[in-house]
């Protein structure tokens, strides 16, 4: 009955972040700059990890998948938001809304699972270095990446299909700058309380299970690092793992706020800011965190720049 009440040709109106005032124009150009920086940074990381043999390790293979997800996140939302701002037309079709919601959940869940596998990789590297090549062999890494993408696709398919079956017979104005599940549910004229409760329960599984693996892995890593006698080895392990923890904190902090804190405890303005954080700011910061604090990546970048300069001179 719900499906018959939904018009698949109905458009939604997105409430944009910016108006054509001086402060908002400055913020708009700041967002555009961060989008370009993040896209460039993650693309460079993927290029370096594909071309430099020293980066052909399990850790960098997983990191390349994280960079791929960090390219996709802003591409789903920011170009549409920029186009709406320039055209002064904040309309999105029903199909476009469904597409945004699906890919955002796909990449969000995939990234959460991937971060937990990356923490396991660091646990094996620090706590079981002699068995690292066996425990993190190529087949295992492929299974990890496949599980990350599959879990994201599964959750996104289920949640998107259920959400879009609700009747949207009232306002079609989404109080958000893109189609995100919590914002869309507020427009339904049906009782969504049972579904929202199910989302909270699934949020515990989707977010807290990977997060518990992260905490368990890094708890063992911290204990192993503190027992190391070599100051250099301790510093290297701590630097690498602290970079990973910074990424985990940025991603999971925003995700927990959006999907585990009840909607009545945060306003649409807060939702917009948090969504902008995990869909743009975090993907922009991730390559900076890994490249600036990672000697191998810096060396690979210098080597690539040297080759480029040599070709230009020739």
């Amino acid at each position: 009955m719900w499906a018959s009440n939904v018009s698949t040709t109905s458009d939604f109106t997105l409430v944009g972040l910016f108006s054509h005032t001086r402060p908002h124009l400055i913020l708009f150009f700041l967002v555009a700059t961060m989008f370009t920086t993040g896209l460039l940074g993650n693309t460079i990381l993927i290029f370096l990890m594909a071309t430099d043999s020293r980066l052909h390790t399990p850790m960098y293979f997983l990191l390349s998948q994280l960079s791929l997800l960090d390219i996709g996140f802003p591409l789903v939302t920011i170009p549409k938001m920029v186009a709406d701002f320039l055209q002064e037309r904040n309309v999105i079709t029903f199909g476009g809304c469904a597409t945004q919601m699906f890919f955002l959940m796909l990449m969000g869940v995939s990234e959460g699972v991937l971060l937990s596998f990356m923490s396991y990789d660091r646990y094996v590297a620090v706590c079981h270095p002699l068995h690292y090549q066996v425990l993190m062999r190529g087949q295992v890494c492929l299974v990890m990446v496949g599980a990350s993408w599959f879990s994201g696709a599964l959750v996104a398919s289920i949640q998107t299909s259920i959400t879009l079956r609700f009747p949207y017979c009232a306002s079609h104005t989404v109080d958000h700058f893109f189609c995100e599940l919590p914002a869309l549910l507020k427009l339904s004229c049906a009782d969504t309380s049972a579904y929202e409760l199910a989302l909270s329960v699934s949020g515990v599984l989707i977010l807290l299970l990977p997060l518990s693996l992260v905490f368990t892995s890094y708890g063992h890593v911290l204990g192993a690092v503190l027992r190391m006698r070599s100051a250099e080895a301790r510093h290297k392990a701590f630097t690498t793992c602290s970079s990973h923890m910074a990424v985990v904190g940025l991603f999971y902090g925003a995700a927990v706020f959006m999907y585990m804190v009840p909607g009545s405890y945060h306003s649409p303005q807060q939702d917009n800011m948090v969504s902008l954080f995990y869909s743009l700011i975090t993907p922009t910061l991730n390559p900076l965190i890994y490249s600036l604090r990672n000697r191998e990546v810096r060396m690979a970048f210098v080597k690539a720049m040297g080759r480029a300069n040599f070709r230009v001179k020739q």
Side-chain angles (χ1 to χ4, degrees), residues 264-284:
S264 57
Y265 289 92
H266 42 90
S267 66
Q269 291 76 19
Q270 290 174 322
D271 289 345
N272 275 320
M273 289 300 103
V274 172
S275 297
L276 185 65
F277 188 86
Y278 76 73
S279 66
L280 176 64
I281 298 176
T282 300
T284 302

Side-chain angles (χ1 to χ4, degrees), residues 108-113 115-116 155 159 199-215 248 251-261:
V109 174
S110 298
E111 183 161 334
V113 176
L115 287 172
S116 68
V155 171
Q159 294 192 354
L199 281 178
S200 298
V201 174
S202 65
V204 172
L205 298 175
I206 295 169
L207 292 174
L208 292 191
L209 281 181
L211 194 56
S212 64
L213 177 59
V214 170
F215 283 131
V248 168
F251 176 80
Y252 275 102
V256 167
F257 179 85
M258 281 300 300
Y259 289 95
M260 294 192 64
V261 177

Side-chain angles (χ1 to χ4, degrees), residues 4 22 27 31 41 75 104 110 112 134 154 179 196 204 206 211 252-253 303 310 312:
S4 63
R22 182 181 176 85
L27 185 58
V31 166
L75 279 177
L104 283 169
S110 298
V134 175
L154 179 64
C179 287
E196 291 180 30
V204 172
I206 295 169
L211 194 56
Y252 275 102
K303 181 180 177 181
F310 179 74
V312 170

Side-chain angles (χ1 to χ4, degrees), residues 76 89 118 246:
V76 175
R89 182 178 177 271
M118 291 175 70

Side-chain angles (χ1 to χ4, degrees), residues 54-229:
R54 291 173 298 182
L55 302 184
H56 293 172
T57 64
M59 183 184 81
Y60 290 110
F61 175 66
L62 297 177
L63 180 55
S64 69
Q65 296 299 305
L66 179 65
S67 293
L68 186 61
L69 289 167
D70 285 339
I71 288 174
F73 249 125
L75 279 177
V76 175
T77 57
I78 303 304
K80 169 64 177 170
M81 182 179 68
V82 170
D84 288 345
F85 174 78
L86 295 176
Q87 298 173 4
E88 299 185 39
R89 182 178 177 271
N90 296 344
V91 175
I92 186 170
T93 64
F94 188 88
C97 194
T99 301
Q100 271 197 342
M101 191 157 48
F102 173 82
F103 280 104
L104 283 169
M105 280 190 284
L106 164 66
M107 290 180 288
V109 174
S110 298
E111 183 161 334
V113 176
L114 182 65
L115 287 172
S116 68
F117 287 142
M118 291 175 70
S119 70
Y120 174 76
D121 169 77
R122 291 300 85 201
Y123 159 73
V124 175
V126 174
C127 300
H128 303 284
L130 297 179
H131 301 96
Y132 183 79
Q133 296 300 326
V134 175
L135 295 176
M136 291 300 297
R137 59 190 181 276
Q139 297 92 325
V140 174
C141 292
L142 288 175
V143 169
M144 287 181 171
V145 170
S148 301
W149 285 99
F150 176 77
S151 58
L154 179 64
V155 171
S157 299
I158 294 172
Q159 294 192 354
T160 301
S161 60
I162 293 176
T163 302
L164 294 180
R165 288 182 62 83
F166 283 105
Y168 296 97
C169 48
S171 170
H172 277 224
T173 301
V174 183
D175 200 357
H176 213 305
F177 67 95
F178 63 85
C179 287
E180 191 165 34
L181 191 151
L184 207 61
L185 284 179
K186 295 177 182 178
L187 302 183
S188 176
C189 52
D191 182 13
T192 61
S193 56
Y195 180 48
E196 291 180 30
L197 178 61
L199 281 178
S200 298
V201 174
S202 65
V204 172
L205 298 175
I206 295 169
L207 292 174
L208 292 191
L209 281 181
L211 194 56
S212 64
L213 177 59
V214 170
F215 283 131
T216 301
S217 298
Y218 283 116
H220 288 291
V221 167
L222 180 60
V225 169
L226 294 176
R227 291 192 298 270
M228 289 180 179
R229 296 182 178 181

